Amino acid sequence: MTRTLPHPFDLATELAAVGDGRFAGRTAAPYANMVGPFGGITAATLMRAILDDPRRLAEPVSLTVNFAGPVADGPFEIDARPVRTNRSTQHWLLTMSQDDAVTTTATAVFANRRPTWAATELTPPAAPPAASVPVSEVPEFIAWVGNYEMRFVEGAVAEIEAGRPSSSTSTLWVRDEPPRPLDYPALTALSDVFFPRVMHRLGRIVPAGTVSMTVYFHATADLLAAQGDDPILATARAQHFGNGYFDQSAQLWTADGELLVTSHQLVYFKDA
């Protein structure tokens, strides 16, 4: 009999319930970043905590994660609390802690979606089909990138390694590696697959880290199910650099031009 092993992403975001709204987890070495875990996996784990909570209603429409301090390798605890539940929305407050010190805070809104008039004013970036774009090489010294298949159309990581300053825009086809059906935790993590925009502008690696990240979910559960494990088209660019911080916006699209997510980040950096 063939035994199917759990996907590395599911192992990395696995939680154990230890009380009412309390979950225990552990950082995963395959999703390590230069310092601490990949921010996307932390955000995805917080999303997982709400989805695993029996008090949860409906689907996510937004998640804001504030990285208050470094997450050390090892165990952590998440406290998830629905602070208000209305007829159509549910508001959550979450904290991640290690040794009684808060490392991360988050708020989330879940909602019952209802049919309404709809329009998307954004348009997806121009890109050839994913299958025609070769898989890109990524830095081996950063563990988390090995969990993603990346096919860069613009703004590849190689430009940073080559010392070439460039635009802050990156566009790529991306999916989990090995392929995994898309769900809300995976979509949360994919919203953070972009290297810091300041490194592209400067053409070199500098200290940088996300301070706050907000993800707005436009994808319904039905759209995620239809996406399966196909690559998604992801694009990001910065708006302003200065005084030690920059902000970036990102969008994730299906190959058919359906908008899955819009995301916004504030990132701290040093240029010396």
Side-chain angles (χ1 to χ4, degrees):
M1 178 182 295
T2 301
R3 180 171 175 263
T4 302
L5 296 175
H7 193 280
F9 180 86
D10 296 304
L11 292 175
T13 58
E14 185 176 29
L15 295 170
V18 293
D20 189 23
R22 291 173 53 240
F23 300 89
R26 175 176 287 272
T27 58
Y31 283 87
N33 204 346
M34 288 183 283
V35 177
F38 166 46
I41 204 70
T42 299
T45 304
L46 291 163
M47 173 60 68
R48 175 80 70 196
I50 302 175
L51 293 171
D52 286 353
D53 195 306
R55 298 169 295 180
R56 187 263 303 180
L57 301 177
E59 300 174 356
V61 293
S62 73
L63 172 70
T64 296
V65 180
N66 298 308
F67 299 90
V71 179
D73 294 340
F76 57 79
E77 188 169 287
I78 293 174
D79 179 79
R81 184 161 54 96
V83 293
R84 179 156 183 166
T85 300
N86 303 317
R87 287 190 300 173
S88 60
T89 61
Q90 187 177 52
H91 298 255
W92 288 80
L93 179 64
L94 304 97
T95 57
M96 176 183 284
S97 303
Q98 290 181 312
D99 298 325
D100 296 323
V102 173
T103 64
T104 316
T105 66
T107 58
V109 180
F110 279 58
N112 289 308
R113 301 177 185 269
R114 57 188 179 85
T116 63
W117 172 83
T120 302
E121 296 200 357
L122 286 171
T123 56
S132 68
V133 182
V135 176
S136 304
E137 293 186 6
V138 291
E140 294 183 358
F141 64 90
I142 301 175
W144 69 264
V145 296
N147 297 284
Y148 293 99
E149 176 193 274
M150 297 181 175
R151 301 171 183 261
F152 280 92
V153 177
E154 178 184 8
V157 180
E159 295 178 3
I160 302 173
E161 294 185 297
R164 292 195 296 266
S166 64
S167 161
S168 72
T169 300
S170 287
T171 300
L172 69 153
W173 291 102
V174 60
R175 64 177 172 180
D176 288 285
E177 175 58 40
R180 176 187 180 279
L182 191 63
D183 58 12
Y184 285 115
L187 190 56
T188 301
L190 285 162
S191 300
D192 192 38
V193 296
F194 309 96
F195 274 60
R197 303 293 87 201
V198 67
M199 296 185 188
H200 287 275
R201 284 297 308 271
L202 296 177
R204 55 189 168 90
I205 294 176
V206 298
T210 301
V211 176
S212 183
M213 176 175 76
T214 295
V215 182
Y216 297 111
F217 299 92
H218 308 297
T220 63
D222 289 342
L223 181 56
L224 294 186
Q227 175 68 15
D229 62 6
D230 291 341
I232 63 174
L233 184 61
T235 187
R237 65 163 297 168
Q239 277 76 234
H240 174 76
F241 302 88
N243 300 311
Y245 295 90
F246 71 88
D247 62 322
Q248 76 173 41
S249 61
Q251 301 90 42
L252 276 57
W253 303 82
T254 70
D256 295 330
E258 294 280 354
L259 184 60
L260 295 165
V261 151
T262 51
S263 177
H264 303 273
Q265 289 194 20
L266 181 70
V267 184
Y268 163 81
F269 74 94
K270 293 183 178 180
D271 60 358

